[in-house]
PDB file of all heavy atoms in Angstrom:
ATOM      1  N   LEU A 471     -26.668  16.449 -13.932  1.00  0.00           N
ATOM      2  CA  LEU A 471     -26.996  17.732 -14.555  1.00  0.00           C
ATOM      3  C   LEU A 471     -27.438  18.732 -13.486  1.00  0.00           C
ATOM      4  O   LEU A 471     -28.368  18.464 -12.722  1.00  0.00           O
ATOM      5  CB  LEU A 471     -28.105  17.548 -15.593  1.00  0.00           C
ATOM      6  CG  LEU A 471     -27.835  16.505 -16.697  1.00  0.00           C
ATOM      7  CD1 LEU A 471     -28.984  16.511 -17.713  1.00  0.00           C
ATOM      8  CD2 LEU A 471     -26.514  16.789 -17.399  1.00  0.00           C
ATOM      9  N   SER A 472     -26.772  19.869 -13.462  1.00  0.00           N
ATOM     10  CA  SER A 472     -27.090  20.905 -12.468  1.00  0.00           C
ATOM     11  C   SER A 472     -28.182  21.822 -12.992  1.00  0.00           C
ATOM     12  O   SER A 472     -28.221  22.145 -14.182  1.00  0.00           O
ATOM     13  CB  SER A 472     -25.841  21.751 -12.190  1.00  0.00           C
ATOM     14  OG  SER A 472     -24.821  20.961 -11.644  1.00  0.00           O
ATOM     15  N   ARG A 473     -29.025  22.249 -12.074  1.00  0.00           N
ATOM     16  CA  ARG A 473     -30.085  23.198 -12.440  1.00  0.00           C
ATOM     17  C   ARG A 473     -29.790  24.574 -11.869  1.00  0.00           C
ATOM     18  O   ARG A 473     -29.077  24.698 -10.869  1.00  0.00           O
ATOM     19  CB  ARG A 473     -31.444  22.727 -11.908  1.00  0.00           C
ATOM     20  CG  ARG A 473     -32.031  21.604 -12.713  1.00  0.00           C
ATOM     21  CD  ARG A 473     -33.309  21.110 -12.084  1.00  0.00           C
ATOM     22  NE  ARG A 473     -33.783  19.921 -12.761  1.00  0.00           N
ATOM     23  CZ  ARG A 473     -34.720  19.925 -13.708  1.00  0.00           C
ATOM     24  NH1 ARG A 473     -35.306  21.054 -14.069  1.00  0.00           N
ATOM     25  NH2 ARG A 473     -35.095  18.796 -14.267  1.00  0.00           N
ATOM     26  N   ASN A 474     -30.384  25.566 -12.498  1.00  0.00           N
ATOM     27  CA  ASN A 474     -30.252  26.932 -12.000  1.00  0.00           C
ATOM     28  C   ASN A 474     -31.224  27.175 -10.851  1.00  0.00           C
ATOM     29  O   ASN A 474     -32.214  26.454 -10.676  1.00  0.00           O
ATOM     30  CB  ASN A 474     -30.529  27.931 -13.124  1.00  0.00           C
ATOM     31  CG  ASN A 474     -29.348  28.043 -14.079  1.00  0.00           C
ATOM     32  OD1 ASN A 474     -28.199  28.056 -13.645  1.00  0.00           O
ATOM     33  ND2 ASN A 474     -29.629  28.125 -15.364  1.00  0.00           N
ATOM     34  N   ASN A 475     -30.923  28.219 -10.123  1.00  0.00           N
ATOM     35  CA  ASN A 475     -31.743  28.618  -8.976  1.00  0.00           C
ATOM     36  C   ASN A 475     -33.171  28.963  -9.418  1.00  0.00           C
ATOM     37  O   ASN A 475     -33.354  29.735 -10.371  1.00  0.00           O
ATOM     38  CB  ASN A 475     -31.077  29.867  -8.356  1.00  0.00           C
ATOM     39  CG  ASN A 475     -31.684  30.258  -7.047  1.00  0.00           C
ATOM     40  OD1 ASN A 475     -32.835  29.937  -6.753  1.00  0.00           O
ATOM     41  ND2 ASN A 475     -30.905  30.954  -6.245  1.00  0.00           N
ATOM     42  N   PRO A 476     -34.194  28.406  -8.746  1.00  0.00           N
ATOM     43  CA  PRO A 476     -35.579  28.741  -9.120  1.00  0.00           C
ATOM     44  C   PRO A 476     -35.900  30.226  -8.962  1.00  0.00           C
ATOM     45  O   PRO A 476     -36.867  30.712  -9.559  1.00  0.00           O
ATOM     46  CB  PRO A 476     -36.430  27.884  -8.180  1.00  0.00           C
ATOM     47  CG  PRO A 476     -35.526  27.419  -7.113  1.00  0.00           C
ATOM     48  CD  PRO A 476     -34.149  27.410  -7.669  1.00  0.00           C
ATOM     49  N   TYR A 477     -35.086  30.936  -8.171  1.00  0.00           N
ATOM     50  CA  TYR A 477     -35.276  32.395  -8.084  1.00  0.00           C
ATOM     51  C   TYR A 477     -35.237  32.997  -9.493  1.00  0.00           C
ATOM     52  O   TYR A 477     -35.976  33.924  -9.794  1.00  0.00           O
ATOM     53  CB  TYR A 477     -34.178  33.000  -7.214  1.00  0.00           C
ATOM     54  CG  TYR A 477     -34.171  34.507  -7.161  1.00  0.00           C
ATOM     55  CD1 TYR A 477     -34.998  35.204  -6.273  1.00  0.00           C
ATOM     56  CD2 TYR A 477     -33.338  35.238  -7.999  1.00  0.00           C
ATOM     57  CE1 TYR A 477     -34.987  36.584  -6.238  1.00  0.00           C
ATOM     58  CE2 TYR A 477     -33.323  36.623  -7.966  1.00  0.00           C
ATOM     59  CZ  TYR A 477     -34.146  37.298  -7.082  1.00  0.00           C
ATOM     60  OH  TYR A 477     -34.142  38.670  -7.056  1.00  0.00           O
ATOM     61  N   TYR A 478     -34.384  32.434 -10.365  1.00  0.00           N
ATOM     62  CA  TYR A 478     -34.284  32.913 -11.745  1.00  0.00           C
ATOM     63  C   TYR A 478     -35.203  32.133 -12.686  1.00  0.00           C
ATOM     64  O   TYR A 478     -35.880  32.722 -13.518  1.00  0.00           O
ATOM     65  CB  TYR A 478     -32.836  32.821 -12.236  1.00  0.00           C
ATOM     66  CG  TYR A 478     -31.901  33.744 -11.477  1.00  0.00           C
ATOM     67  CD1 TYR A 478     -31.017  33.241 -10.526  1.00  0.00           C
ATOM     68  CD2 TYR A 478     -31.925  35.120 -11.690  1.00  0.00           C
ATOM     69  CE1 TYR A 478     -30.177  34.079  -9.812  1.00  0.00           C
ATOM     70  CE2 TYR A 478     -31.082  35.974 -10.978  1.00  0.00           C
ATOM     71  CZ  TYR A 478     -30.213  35.439 -10.034  1.00  0.00           C
ATOM     72  OH  TYR A 478     -29.397  36.280  -9.329  1.00  0.00           O
ATOM     73  N   THR A 479     -35.223  30.806 -12.561  1.00  0.00           N
ATOM     74  CA  THR A 479     -35.996  30.018 -13.542  1.00  0.00           C
ATOM     75  C   THR A 479     -37.497  30.315 -13.458  1.00  0.00           C
ATOM     76  O   THR A 479     -38.193  30.265 -14.464  1.00  0.00           O
ATOM     77  CB  THR A 479     -35.772  28.501 -13.345  1.00  0.00           C
ATOM     78  OG1 THR A 479     -36.103  28.156 -12.004  1.00  0.00           O
ATOM     79  CG2 THR A 479     -34.338  28.114 -13.628  1.00  0.00           C
ATOM     80  N   ARG A 480     -37.962  30.668 -12.248  1.00  0.00           N
ATOM     81  CA  ARG A 480     -39.395  30.974 -12.113  1.00  0.00           C
ATOM     82  C   ARG A 480     -39.759  32.288 -12.797  1.00  0.00           C
ATOM     83  O   ARG A 480     -40.935  32.586 -12.990  1.00  0.00           O
ATOM     84  CB  ARG A 480     -39.793  31.035 -10.636  1.00  0.00           C
ATOM     85  CG  ARG A 480     -39.883  29.667  -9.988  1.00  0.00           C
ATOM     86  CD  ARG A 480     -40.096  29.781  -8.497  1.00  0.00           C
ATOM     87  NE  ARG A 480     -39.960  28.491  -7.836  1.00  0.00           N
ATOM     88  CZ  ARG A 480     -39.807  28.339  -6.532  1.00  0.00           C
ATOM     89  NH1 ARG A 480     -39.776  29.403  -5.729  1.00  0.00           N
ATOM     90  NH2 ARG A 480     -39.689  27.131  -6.009  1.00  0.00           N
ATOM     91  N   GLN A 481     -38.764  33.075 -13.114  1.00  0.00           N
ATOM     92  CA  GLN A 481     -39.031  34.339 -13.805  1.00  0.00           C
ATOM     93  C   GLN A 481     -39.058  34.141 -15.326  1.00  0.00           C
ATOM     94  O   GLN A 481     -39.270  35.092 -16.070  1.00  0.00           O
ATOM     95  CB  GLN A 481     -37.978  35.382 -13.433  1.00  0.00           C
ATOM     96  CG  GLN A 481     -38.038  35.769 -11.956  1.00  0.00           C
ATOM     97  CD  GLN A 481     -36.993  36.812 -11.596  1.00  0.00           C
ATOM     98  OE1 GLN A 481     -36.879  37.839 -12.242  1.00  0.00           O
ATOM     99  NE2 GLN A 481     -36.226  36.540 -10.548  1.00  0.00           N
ATOM    100  N   MET A 482     -38.799  32.925 -15.785  1.00  0.00           N
ATOM    101  CA  MET A 482     -38.895  32.656 -17.224  1.00  0.00           C
ATOM    102  C   MET A 482     -40.359  32.393 -17.568  1.00  0.00           C
ATOM    103  O   MET A 482     -41.170  32.037 -16.710  1.00  0.00           O
ATOM    104  CB  MET A 482     -38.051  31.425 -17.595  1.00  0.00           C
ATOM    105  CG  MET A 482     -36.569  31.606 -17.372  1.00  0.00           C
ATOM    106  SD  MET A 482     -35.589  30.383 -18.254  1.00  0.00           S
ATOM    107  CE  MET A 482     -36.175  28.865 -17.564  1.00  0.00           C
ATOM    108  N   SER A 483     -40.674  32.520 -18.869  1.00  0.00           N
ATOM    109  CA  SER A 483     -42.048  32.250 -19.299  1.00  0.00           C
ATOM    110  C   SER A 483     -42.322  30.750 -19.194  1.00  0.00           C
ATOM    111  O   SER A 483     -41.374  29.944 -19.193  1.00  0.00           O
ATOM    112  CB  SER A 483     -42.239  32.712 -20.740  1.00  0.00           C
ATOM    113  OG  SER A 483     -41.466  31.895 -21.588  1.00  0.00           O
ATOM    114  N   PRO A 484     -43.594  30.339 -19.135  1.00  0.00           N
ATOM    115  CA  PRO A 484     -43.905  28.898 -19.054  1.00  0.00           C
ATOM    116  C   PRO A 484     -43.311  28.117 -20.219  1.00  0.00           C
ATOM    117  O   PRO A 484     -42.843  26.987 -20.038  1.00  0.00           O
ATOM    118  CB  PRO A 484     -45.437  28.864 -19.075  1.00  0.00           C
ATOM    119  CG  PRO A 484     -45.841  30.203 -18.540  1.00  0.00           C
ATOM    120  CD  PRO A 484     -44.797  31.166 -18.980  1.00  0.00           C
TER     121      PRO A 484
END
Side-chain angles (χ1 to χ4, degrees):
Chain A
L471 305 184
S472 298
R473 284 176 187 263
N474 283 319
N475 189 336
Y477 174 84
Y478 295 105
T479 56
R480 285 172 190 165
Q481 295 180 51
M482 296 197 300
S483 67

